[in-house]
């Protein structure tokens, strides 16, 4: 291959990586705030939409009501205080939601089945436009962040809710390496602050929060609390 053409192709792939990452990071911050923590007005509008509004209402229930409100109530790294507490939540989900996918997704900690598609669906139109109007190497480069996007919630997120020792004991060797990186230690602190203060730090793929003015840095008290819980930080 012509070296000039190879260099141009590599530059386009790198441009695609940057574009894809920016898209999913901005999308994550916006959608996390607007859908997973939807306002009362948005939820009422979704109810009026009937079937079309159910995905948003389900996402809100799984994330804000269950993950933030009914689990991890006393500790960022302990989902339930007892088996009885978990069983009560299972009954509540069965009786009021009729949606066992919330349980399969470990009460908002991970993604399962159609939840993966629902998670990426809002950003897919952007990538369809990239494929239609941008050079193939750019579109190809953008696909990697699109794949990493759901994996950050499905694979990484559970470890952010474990004490460091437990996370390292459960993780595979590649995951142990990842958990030890400065980036994941930063994301662990970032995510803790989202649970503590909620209306900030929506990203697991960081950048969108900063660009949208939703980034919060930890205080000394925050850091002391994280260390007291044995977190990855």
């Amino acid at each position: 291959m012509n070296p000039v053409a190879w260099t141009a192709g590599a530059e386009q792939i790198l441009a695609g990586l940057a574009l894809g990452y920016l898209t999913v990071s901005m999308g994550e911050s916006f959608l996390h705030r607007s859908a997973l923590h939807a306002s009362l007005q948005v939820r009422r509008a979704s109810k009026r939409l009937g079937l079309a509004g159910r995905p948003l209402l389900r996402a809100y229930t799984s994330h804000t009501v269950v993950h933030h409100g009914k689990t991890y109530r006393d500790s960022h790294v302990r989902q339930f205080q007892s088996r009885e507490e978990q069983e009560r939540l299972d009954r509540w989900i069965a009786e009021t939601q009729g949606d066992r996918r919330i349980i399969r997704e470990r009460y908002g900690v991970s993604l399962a089945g159609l939840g993966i598609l629902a998670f990426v669906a809002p950003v897919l139109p952007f990538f369809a436009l990239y494929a239609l109007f941008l050079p193939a190497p750019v579109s190809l480069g953008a696909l990697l962040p699109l794949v990493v996007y759901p994996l950050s919630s499905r694979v990484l997120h559970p470890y952010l809710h474990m004490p460091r020792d437990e996370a390292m004991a459960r993780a595979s060797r590649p995951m142990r390496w990842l958990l030890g990186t400065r980036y994941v230690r930063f994301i662990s602190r970032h995510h803790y602050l989202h649970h503590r203060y909620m209306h900030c730090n929506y990203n697991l793929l960081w950048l969108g929060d900063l660009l949208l003015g939703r980034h919060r840095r930890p205080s000394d008290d925050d850091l002391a609390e994280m260390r007291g819980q044995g977190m990855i930080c």
Side-chain angles (χ1 to χ4, degrees):
M1 179 182 290
N2 186 309
V4 175
W6 187 92
T7 300
E11 289 175 348
Q12 288 183 326
I13 290 174
L14 289 175
L17 282 169
L19 178 62
Y21 188 91
L22 180 64
T23 302
V24 295
S25 184
M26 292 283 285
E28 178 185 36
S29 182
F30 175 79
L31 292 165
H32 192 156
R33 180 185 184 218
S34 303
L36 301 186
H37 294 290
S39 66
L40 179 60
Q41 292 83 355
V42 169
R43 300 196 311 271
R44 284 175 173 170
S46 297
K47 287 181 180 179
R48 289 195 292 271
L49 290 173
L51 186 62
R54 286 185 186 176
L56 184 142
L57 294 172
R58 184 209 171 274
Y60 173 85
T61 299
S62 176
H63 188 76
T64 296
V65 176
V66 174
H67 183 56
H68 277 269
K70 294 182 178 293
T71 60
Y72 300 105
R73 300 174 70 175
D74 299 309
S75 170
H76 187 75
V77 295
R78 188 176 181 186
Q79 193 172 41
F80 298 104
Q81 298 303 305
S82 65
R83 178 64 185 172
E84 289 75 18
E85 183 182 11
Q86 182 177 359
E87 290 172 349
R88 285 196 300 271
L89 179 56
D90 288 348
R91 288 195 296 271
W92 180 85
I93 292 170
E95 293 168 3
T96 67
Q97 305 301 311
D99 186 356
R100 294 193 63 84
R101 197 171 87 206
I102 295 175
I103 299 173
R104 292 197 303 273
E105 292 180 341
R106 298 167 59 185
Y107 314 97
V109 172
S110 188
L111 297 172
L114 291 176
I116 299 173
L117 179 60
F119 190 78
V120 300
V123 300
L124 288 179
F126 293 97
F127 289 87
L129 289 174
Y130 300 157
L132 285 173
F133 297 108
L134 295 177
V138 177
S139 301
L140 181 64
L143 289 178
L144 180 59
L146 179 62
V147 172
V148 172
Y149 178 43
L151 288 177
S152 65
S153 286
R154 179 175 171 81
V155 178
L156 177 61
H157 185 210
Y159 289 101
L160 303 182
H161 282 282
M162 297 179 193
R164 179 181 178 82
D165 290 346
E166 179 183 347
M168 291 300 186
R170 290 192 180 192
S172 64
R173 181 174 296 180
M175 180 57 71
R176 287 197 298 272
W177 173 84
L178 183 63
L179 295 177
T181 62
R182 292 180 63 185
Y183 177 79
V184 170
R185 295 201 305 271
F186 167 80
I187 288 297
S188 179
R189 298 190 296 271
H190 190 76
H191 187 63
Y192 169 83
L193 295 177
H194 172 61
H195 274 262
R196 186 164 190 174
Y197 302 107
M198 193 130 75
H199 300 297
C200 64
N201 294 16
Y202 300 99
N203 279 138
L204 293 181
L205 293 178
W206 186 79
L207 183 59
D209 288 330
L210 180 66
L211 297 177
L212 295 173
R214 298 167 185 166
H215 173 61
R216 178 173 183 146
R217 298 180 63 182
S219 66
D220 290 342
D221 287 343
D222 293 327
L223 291 170
E225 181 63 27
M226 292 180 220
R227 287 191 291 268
Q229 295 190 34
M231 286 178 53
I232 300 169
C233 61

